[in-house]
Amino acid sequence: MTGNEQTTPSLVIFDCDGVLVDSEPLSLACLTAGLNRIGVDIDLDTVRNRFAGTSMVSIMGHIERDYGIAAPAGFVDEVKAETLATFDRELQAMRGVAEAIRSLDLPVCVASSSDPVRLRHSLTLTGLLPLFSGNVFSSAQVARGKPFPDLFLFAAAQMGAEPTSCLVIEDSVPGVTAAVAAGMRVIGFTGGGHWGHDPGGADLSRAGAASIFSDYSNLSKVITS
């Protein structure tokens, strides 16, 4: 990419969970409790390290392959229902994110591993949905979720943007990996509650994030840096 393309993206693509809404501590806790109930010996830190930013389809495939436990009928729907109920009680938008997005004079959209119901539920609960004018894309719309590039490429195509002119805001290694594979510049966000273990975002940098930030008051600055 040229320097101009780096400083002036034609589209900013936001992940949702852990980027727009502080959902990961809630959803990962629900997932861990659910997996423990069906006999998977796994703790919260392992779930966070292995599965943050990935879809339930991918997660359950890993569980069956690595732990030899197939989810019983209805398990995924049960965990999703528990997660949404927890969101209703506790979910918050990231501090300052709404103001930061409103201040951008750039097209924006969302591209998330969450299923469409959870995705819109989260954005509606936190009042963020109107900021994206319906431009909200889910991994359910593509063949392969993150860490594959399909979702980001799909979002760019829907928005009429060239991948090389897009900037992605991500909080997970699979998400950063997907953005890099799509040929997009990616910035890592570590302001979510699940990033206490690595506030500097070393894992995201190793995966290919161009820079790291944790405070949305700095969004305009990091986008053009």
Side-chain angles (χ1 to χ4, degrees):
M1 290 187 295
T2 68
N4 184 61
E5 287 173 330
Q6 280 193 325
T7 57
T8 313
S10 64
L11 173 67
V12 181
I13 304 176
F14 291 85
D15 180 37
C16 182
D17 296 292
V19 170
L20 297 173
V21 298
D22 201 7
S23 56
E24 291 289 33
L26 307 178
S27 60
L28 294 172
C30 288
L31 175 59
T32 304
L35 291 173
N36 292 163
R37 284 199 304 270
I38 64 171
V40 181
D41 184 14
I42 193 169
D43 60 23
L44 181 59
D45 285 343
T46 303
V47 169
R48 183 194 66 232
N49 291 334
R50 295 190 63 187
F51 302 134
T54 58
S55 68
M56 281 295 284
V57 172
S58 176
I59 290 168
M60 298 320 299
H62 279 287
I63 292 298
E64 184 167 1
R65 182 175 65 250
D66 298 343
Y67 291 85
I69 295 175
F75 172 77
V76 170
D77 288 339
E78 181 181 295
V79 171
K80 286 181 178 180
E82 291 171 352
T83 302
L84 292 182
T86 302
F87 284 4
D88 287 341
R89 297 189 301 269
E90 303 180 43
L91 186 64
Q92 300 289 323
M94 292 296 177
R95 185 176 62 182
V97 67
E99 295 82 357
I101 292 172
R102 289 191 191 101
S103 72
L104 293 179
D105 188 24
L106 292 167
V108 295
C109 71
V110 179
S112 169
S113 293
S114 288
D115 67 80
V117 172
R118 169 174 157 171
L119 182 53
R120 289 188 173 270
H121 189 74
S122 297
L123 295 173
T124 300
L125 274 176
T126 53
L128 299 179
L129 186 61
L131 298 178
F132 297 97
S133 304
N135 297 313
V136 176
F137 309 108
S138 164
S139 61
Q141 296 174 277
V142 296
R144 303 176 301 176
K146 304 170 188 177
F148 296 99
D150 304 33
L151 178 57
F152 289 129
L153 294 173
F154 176 77
Q158 294 299 303
M159 297 294 292
E162 288 296 324
T164 54
S165 70
C166 295
L167 173 69
V168 176
I169 310 294
E170 262 288 356
D171 72 304
S172 73
V173 169
V176 171
T177 302
V180 171
M184 300 176 180
R185 186 162 67 102
V186 55
I187 293 173
F189 178 71
T190 60
H194 63 302
W195 267 104
H197 65 294
D198 180 20
D203 287 348
L204 302 182
S205 295
R206 282 191 291 269
S211 59
I212 305 294
F213 78 112
S214 60
D215 187 334
Y216 271 104
S217 65
N218 298 323
L219 180 63
S220 295
K221 181 178 178 181
V222 297
I223 282 177
T224 57
S225 64

